[in-house]
Amino acid sequence: MGIFSKPEIIILKESNSSEEHLAKLEELLPRATGKVKENIQKEIILTKAGIDGEKKVLYELKNSNMDLVVLQDICIRAKDGREAQIDFVIATSKLMILLECKNLVGNIEIDSKGNFIRTIQYGKRYWKEGIYSPITQNERHMEVLKECKSEEWNAVMGAMVRMSFSSFHKSLVVLANEKTYLNDRYAKKEVKEQVIRADQLIATIRRMNAESKLPKSTKKEMLGFGEKMLERDTGERKDYAARYEELIDLVEAEELEVTEKEEAAVDAKTVVAESVAREQKVMTQIEEEPAMMNPTILEEVQMEIPATTGKIMCPVCGGELVLRTARRGANTGKQFYGCSSFPRCRYILNIAENLEKSDTSHSKK
């Protein structure tokens, strides 16, 4: 890199997983319904605000007129499983600054206990709520980075890294919304020094760098610190949109199941109705048509009755003939035998004709 003739800002990594998160949320939104849709819409608003906030911070850093090495959106993981997703890592000539960016809506108050209270105005009414401390969040990031750096050495050197870590590494929380009013009147000094507005960022970095008693690093060393940090980046990001996708998939599966059940119920009713209609139509035709039987077949059927089980068997298909009564047509009220395999077999035996023929044959004899 060599010696710079003028202050230079090197952006080793300029990318934001929030933009990927936003794209996925916008992709899921058309599929969502009800409460899930409302939550996704809120998440989209918050994500856009976060992206805008980080763009403002990056703009300030690029125009700082300082020697800086900047990395955006770095994710690190210690061997014990702890993770940290850091908005910005900034290497100055003396310090490594972990920066947490918050683009919060409303005014922020920090009390003497370090609690963060947000006040939001709705028309003429004001609503207060407590929010998770970004200082605590960044402190966790610092602890994970400390562990990652100490793991790279043996036990003795690792202990020394832990002891000197706080001298070289500092935490900053930047409120990127220019409309936000910060009231830290009752906050402790160390808290006041860590929470600033975006327009105070460069002045704060200059002050912190000037107050540090550490020796000044060369620009080559600064770049080395940044490159080492980039090596620690796992490249893995939590998929915060996955929970919405799972909910949408679950809702769609339930809706599909209900639809299939409703369609099955409709289909079943249709099949039953059509079957009943067909049977009634065929039965009406049979009952209204006169039975035209072959006398020879009638005699054979009648001769089988006493010789077997008393059942009349269908000479066409071998099924059992059952006694029925015509309800319509010219044969209304007359009984006849119809095949039990109806409508596959339409063989019928007209009792009245059979008896008449039987009586006539006997009288002739």
Side-chain angles (χ1 to χ4, degrees):
M1 180 161 146
I3 299 176
F4 300 151
S5 57
K6 61 180 181 178
E8 184 177 353
I9 298 90
I10 298 179
I11 310 296
L12 277 185
K13 182 176 182 292
E14 181 181 351
S15 63
N16 194 344
S17 60
S18 297
E19 293 179 350
E20 297 177 6
H21 177 60
L22 176 61
K24 191 163 187 178
L25 289 174
E26 291 177 336
E27 181 183 347
L28 290 174
L29 185 60
R31 294 174 52 197
T33 57
K35 194 67 176 177
V36 177
K37 186 171 186 176
E38 292 179 10
N39 289 338
I40 291 178
Q41 289 172 331
K42 292 178 182 177
E43 185 86 6
I44 287 175
I45 293 172
L46 293 174
T47 303
K48 286 182 176 179
I51 293 172
D52 289 342
E54 292 192 19
K55 286 181 178 179
K56 292 174 184 176
V57 169
L58 193 58
Y59 175 83
E60 294 291 333
L61 293 172
K62 287 180 176 180
N63 293 277
S64 63
N65 198 32
M66 293 180 63
D67 288 332
L68 298 176
V69 176
V70 179
L71 300 94
Q72 183 182 8
D73 192 22
I74 296 294
C75 186
I76 57 176
R77 182 187 297 111
K79 290 181 179 179
D80 59 12
R82 287 181 297 166
E83 294 181 336
Q85 189 166 343
I86 309 167
D87 292 340
F88 289 94
V89 178
I90 305 165
T92 73
S93 59
K94 293 185 177 182
L95 300 171
M96 182 76 76
I97 299 172
L98 274 62
L99 191 152
E100 180 71 17
C101 177
K102 294 294 181 184
N103 195 12
L104 300 173
V105 176
N107 296 326
I108 305 299
E109 177 187 352
I110 309 174
D111 64 18
S112 59
K113 296 181 180 180
N115 297 314
F116 281 68
I117 302 101
R118 177 166 61 173
T119 302
I120 303 175
Q121 182 178 0
Y122 290 101
K124 295 182 179 180
R125 300 184 62 183
Y126 291 87
W127 176 42
K128 285 190 175 185
E129 65 175 0
I131 61 173
Y132 191 85
S133 169
I135 290 180
T136 302
Q137 183 179 1
N138 221 23
E139 284 175 349
R140 289 208 318 270
H141 296 168
M142 297 274 282
E143 287 298 318
V144 175
L145 179 57
K146 182 197 296 186
E147 187 64 25
C148 288
K149 297 189 79 169
S150 63
E151 290 170 352
E152 298 168 0
W153 302 90
N154 57 34
V156 176
M157 290 297 297
M160 293 180 63
V161 168
R162 290 188 178 91
M163 290 177 59
S164 60
F165 183 85
S166 59
S167 299
F168 183 56
H169 298 82
K170 300 297 179 181
S171 170
L172 270 182
V173 174
V174 176
L175 304 180
N177 189 345
E178 62 274 6
K179 295 181 181 180
T180 296
Y181 170 73
L182 175 62
N183 180 8
D184 58 358
R185 183 186 307 173
Y186 302 106
K188 295 178 181 180
K189 181 182 178 182
E190 58 268 25
V191 173
K192 289 182 180 181
E193 291 175 346
Q194 291 186 61
V195 183
I196 59 173
R197 289 166 52 91
D199 53 9
Q200 301 170 325
L201 175 59
I202 304 307
T204 302
I205 292 177
R206 289 182 183 277
R207 176 183 56 78
M208 293 171 66
N209 206 53
E211 291 176 353
S212 174
K213 296 179 180 180
L214 293 173
K216 189 175 181 179
S217 301
T218 65
K219 294 166 186 177
K220 183 177 180 179
E221 288 173 334
M222 289 170 57
L223 183 58
F225 295 147
E227 289 174 342
K228 186 62 178 179
M229 194 70 194
L230 189 58
E231 290 177 5
R232 296 189 183 98
D233 183 23
T234 64
E236 299 176 4
R237 304 293 183 270
K238 290 183 179 179
D239 187 0
Y240 292 103
R243 64 184 186 274
Y244 293 120
E245 188 170 15
E246 291 174 1
L247 288 172
I248 291 172
D249 289 341
L250 180 61
V251 170
E252 289 179 342
E254 290 176 349
E255 289 177 348
L256 179 61
E257 184 179 356
V258 170
T259 301
E260 289 177 346
K261 286 182 179 179
E262 290 176 347
E263 290 177 351
V266 171
D267 291 342
K269 290 179 181 178
T270 302
V271 170
V272 171
E274 291 176 351
S275 178
V276 171
R278 285 196 301 269
E279 184 175 352
Q280 288 177 345
K281 182 178 180 180
V282 174
M283 286 300 299
T284 300
Q285 292 175 349
I286 291 176
E287 292 170 351
E288 291 179 350
E289 292 176 358
M292 302 299 292
M293 308 307 300
N294 187 324
T296 304
I297 294 178
L298 294 178
E299 291 175 1
E300 290 177 358
V301 171
Q302 287 177 331
M303 291 175 62
E304 287 183 12
I305 296 176
T308 57
T309 60
K311 296 180 181 180
I312 304 177
M313 310 306 294
C314 176
V316 177
C317 70
E320 181 183 351
L321 297 182
V322 294
L323 186 63
R324 294 176 177 171
T325 303
R327 296 193 295 273
R328 301 181 184 85
N331 297 316
T332 301
K334 295 181 181 180
Q335 291 185 317
F336 66 94
Y337 282 100
C339 184
S340 59
S341 298
F342 173 83
R344 287 184 291 113
C345 178
R346 299 192 178 190
Y347 175 84
I348 59 174
L349 173 60
N350 192 311
I351 296 176
E353 287 188 6
N354 182 36
L355 291 175
E356 288 175 2
K357 291 179 181 179
S358 178
D359 291 342
T360 302
S361 63
H362 283 301
S363 61
K364 286 181 180 180
K365 291 180 180 180

